[in-house]
Amino acid sequence: MKEILLDSAAWHSAEDFFHALLSELDAPGWHGHNLNALYDSLSGGINEVEPPFRVIVQNAAHLSGDMVSFLAGVSAVFADARREFRVDVAFEVI
């Protein structure tokens, strides 16, 4: 399984997360920067990097409460995509 490592050391907003992740997924320029668009794209066929993959967010200890809550939402999106689309995607925050 491909591992995508994201360094959250400089993140302050959801936009920072989407910029980092979508760059690593080689997503098209029109990809939305919201959880609904992420959910849709996890089904495959949109990004150059296709499942299976694991996204690991590193250096998360410094993140604000809002960012921690947002990343919990991202984790739920990955879980929903695994269940609904039966794709092998994982998300971890360390």
Side-chain angles (χ1 to χ4, degrees):
M1 174 181 290
K2 178 179 178 63
E3 286 194 353
I4 298 171
L5 301 175
L6 302 178
D7 183 356
S8 69
W11 293 357
H12 300 286
S13 68
E15 188 64 27
D16 294 330
F17 164 80
F18 281 112
H19 176 75
L21 177 63
L22 297 179
S23 176
E24 289 294 322
L25 293 178
D26 200 10
W30 50 262
H31 192 294
H33 290 199
N34 58 67
L35 295 180
N36 288 333
L38 177 60
Y39 174 78
D40 290 342
S41 75
L42 290 175
S43 66
I46 296 172
N47 305 312
E48 290 296 318
V49 175
E50 298 268 339
F53 59 80
R54 172 188 316 274
V55 175
I56 301 170
V57 175
Q58 299 175 315
N59 299 314
H62 79 285
L63 292 173
S64 69
D66 287 344
M67 281 301 296
V68 170
S69 294
F70 169 75
L71 292 176
V74 171
S75 183
V77 165
F78 271 71
D80 290 347
R82 276 194 312 276
R83 186 180 65 254
E84 295 295 321
F85 300 133
R86 304 221 185 275
V87 291
D88 191 2
V89 294
F91 185 79
E92 182 179 354
V93 178
I94 57 173

